Amino acid sequence: MSPPVPPVGAAPAPPAPPAAPPPRRRGRLLVALAGVLVLVLAVAGLAVLRPGPVARLLGGEATPSGATAAPPEPDPPVVLAGPDGNAPLPTDAGIRAALEPLVGAAALGDRVNVSVADVATGEALYGKGPDAPTVPASVTKLATGVAVLAARGPAYRIPTRAVAGPNPGEVVLVGGGDPTLAVDKNGFYPGAARLDDLAAQVRDALGGTAPTKVIVDSSLFTGPVFEPGWDADIPTGGFGAAITALMTDGARKDPALARRTAEETNHAAERVPQPDLTAGRQFAKLLGLTGGAAQVTRGAAPTAGGSGSAGPAPGTELGKVESLPVIRLVDIMISDSDNVIAEVMARQVALAKGKPGSFAGGAAATDEVLGELGLPAGEISLADGSGLSRTNRISPSLLTDLITLAGNGSHPELAAIFGGLPVGGWSGTLDERYRAAATAAGAGVVRAKTGTLTGVNAIAGTVLTADGRLLTFAVLTDRTQGSLDETRQALDRITAALAGCGCR
């Protein structure tokens, strides 16, 4: 397994001592990931949990009463410790010899753009159209993650507030853009802020004044709620949602069902059409309002000041809850390829840079932040933060530059980008990959974000070579026509070739 490279001058992490594998997959994982967790915890001071579907992050593995226990899963591949600081650098000729027979595979189509570089030095080792703008699909989330970590910082939390409305008993629910906000303890995202906690604060703040109405203020986000470049089935297919500044459970209609579905099939979940009003109705119910739709309307929070005839003055804060820290939101976004979180993260970048909280604002702000980090911002053109838009373009070399910057210790706050990267043959979108004989060398040592749209397949991340050298790679294809399995196998052969050779 390849964690980010420690800062210059830091000692490499010692390899984990060998141990007999416990029967439970989760137990082996926690031991094997120790090298990565130590670094990320040191950088962020926050817990980073196992990549994979969010519903599994905090357990849920016990067998229900009366149910038959499932047979134990086969042991996952061994995940290696950190890179060897003394490992030799692969040569350009060695990398070329390993990859040239593979990048022309028919399953990859007629447009395959590749970049490979060394993380420690930033030296480019191989390129095939490395600077060519290519449709990145969900690999876009790497750029979004780096941008929000730089603009907001790993510890930033997104507030959801309630303030007194213009008339006694009216409560304004003000969305701050937390996509993980839950109604109660049964929310989709473990550890999320909760509306029932906020409702309790509001009742205390109102004292003897009974709630009469909920006004929903989701004006922090502007512009269209769906990106025009999204495929027609995205709004209805469950992989995306209407992006509003107030929502619960990522706009999922039934978070409990969505959680079971994510665990069992990784399918998309049905989303509500108006996430902000849905959240307002949920909040109204928690406040004891059970009347018609007239008790929940959209509106703007009044400016604080003055005094009310009864109860708190209009605009007075009645309560506030805060999201998981950005480091955790980025982790979930990458490990689960959560498109809704990605779109909200892009808007957080926009707000941090003083731009509108919209698709266009997020794209412009991401470009600005990457430029400030010294990355070639001219090689990225975005329409959204998730990668659902087919109008997005990113060059492979920008991705390897970005990963190198996050991993070389020059910007410690960016190292959090690695916490959610799926591990080959082990977790997330790479859980079932790198299991065939032709790609087995990549199991446990490839950590990468994948991207998939019809005709578009991409992968970008890090790989530990047989010599212990940490490389970064990006392989983007946007004219594939074969089966998805064949294309993924062809991509995996490329990264497995890097894993299996010293390339000298």
Side-chain angles (χ1 to χ4, degrees):
M1 185 175 190
S2 47
V5 173
V8 176
R24 295 288 296 267
R25 177 184 178 117
R26 184 181 177 197
R28 279 199 63 182
L29 176 67
L30 293 176
V31 173
L33 287 181
V36 173
L37 296 185
V38 167
L39 178 59
V40 177
L41 290 172
V43 170
L46 296 163
V48 178
L49 303 175
R50 179 190 191 276
V54 172
R56 295 182 229 163
L57 283 174
L58 295 182
E61 297 185 51
T63 303
S65 177
T68 301
E73 296 184 45
D75 285 337
V78 174
V79 172
L80 303 182
D84 179 357
N86 297 316
L89 180 69
T91 65
D92 295 4
I95 296 284
R96 188 180 310 109
L99 298 191
E100 285 291 348
L102 303 174
V103 296
L108 297 176
D110 62 2
R111 190 170 134 90
V112 185
N113 296 321
V114 185
S115 176
V116 178
D118 180 65
V119 173
T121 65
E123 181 178 341
L125 300 174
Y126 177 82
K128 179 180 184 294
D131 301 328
T134 315
V135 182
S138 277
V139 169
T140 302
K141 294 180 177 71
L142 293 175
T144 301
V146 163
V148 75
L149 287 166
R152 282 299 198 198
Y156 181 79
R157 295 174 184 263
I158 303 169
T160 301
R161 299 186 303 120
V163 304
N167 300 303
E170 293 181 346
V171 178
V172 185
L173 183 58
V174 184
D178 176 7
T180 64
L181 181 67
V183 177
D184 52 33
K185 65 181 180 180
N186 298 313
F188 184 81
Y189 300 97
R194 291 161 41 179
L195 283 180
D196 60 351
D197 290 338
L198 184 59
Q201 295 177 41
V202 169
R203 286 192 295 269
D204 288 345
L206 288 177
T209 302
T212 59
K213 182 178 182 179
V214 169
I215 300 170
V216 171
D217 184 348
S218 57
S219 59
L220 188 65
F221 292 173
T222 59
V225 296
F226 299 112
E227 209 288 310
W230 288 0
D231 288 353
D233 63 340
I234 296 298
T236 59
F239 288 100
I243 306 302
T244 56
L246 178 66
M247 64 174 68
T248 56
D249 299 303
R252 290 169 177 83
K253 183 176 183 179
D254 186 339
L257 175 61
R259 185 166 52 249
R260 293 195 299 273
T261 301
E263 290 173 337
E264 296 165 5
T265 65
N266 202 31
H267 286 174
E270 184 179 359
R271 315 286 172 140
V272 297
Q274 297 177 309
D276 54 345
L277 287 180
T278 296
R281 295 183 189 111
Q282 292 164 332
F283 190 58
K285 186 175 181 180
L286 291 168
L287 290 176
L289 300 176
T290 57
Q295 289 183 311
V296 179
T297 60
R298 289 192 180 98
T303 302
S307 60
S309 57
T316 301
E317 185 172 286
L318 305 177
K320 181 175 72 171
V321 292
E322 294 183 319
S323 73
L324 294 162
V326 161
I327 186 175
R328 286 292 298 120
L329 298 177
V330 169
D331 185 29
I332 297 168
M333 173 187 74
I334 291 176
S335 63
D336 292 350
S337 202
D338 193 309
N339 295 309
V340 174
I341 291 181
E343 295 306 339
V344 172
M345 291 298 95
R347 282 161 174 74
Q348 290 298 325
V349 180
L351 297 171
K353 302 303 290 184
K355 298 184 185 299
S358 62
F359 284 106
T366 298
D367 184 86
E368 179 180 331
V369 170
L370 296 185
E372 290 171 352
L373 289 170
L375 295 166
E379 295 182 16
I380 183 170
S381 175
L382 298 181
D384 68 16
S386 65
L388 288 174
S389 178
R390 291 180 179 273
T391 61
N392 288 342
R393 295 292 185 273
I394 302 180
S395 73
S397 62
L398 178 125
L399 289 167
T400 52
D401 287 347
L402 179 150
I403 294 168
T404 296
L405 185 69
N408 65 13
S410 61
H411 291 269
E413 72 280 5
L414 304 183
I417 199 73
F418 298 100
L421 279 179
V423 180
W426 199 306
S427 63
T429 54
L430 296 182
D431 186 27
E432 300 301 323
R433 293 168 67 165
Y434 299 96
R435 294 179 179 267
T439 60
V445 295
V446 170
R447 305 190 72 217
K449 182 72 194 77
T450 59
T452 306
L453 294 168
T454 302
V456 177
N457 297 93
I459 187 168
T462 64
V463 57
L464 199 65
T465 71
D467 284 341
R469 193 82 187 191
L470 187 64
L471 306 182
T472 175
F473 62 85
V475 187
L476 308 184
T477 69
D478 58 11
R479 292 180 188 168
T480 60
Q481 296 181 350
S483 74
L484 181 58
D485 285 344
E486 290 174 343
T487 302
R488 285 176 172 171
Q489 279 284 319
L491 289 173
D492 294 349
R493 287 190 185 97
I494 293 172
T495 50
L498 292 172
C501 79
C503 298
R504 288 180 283 133

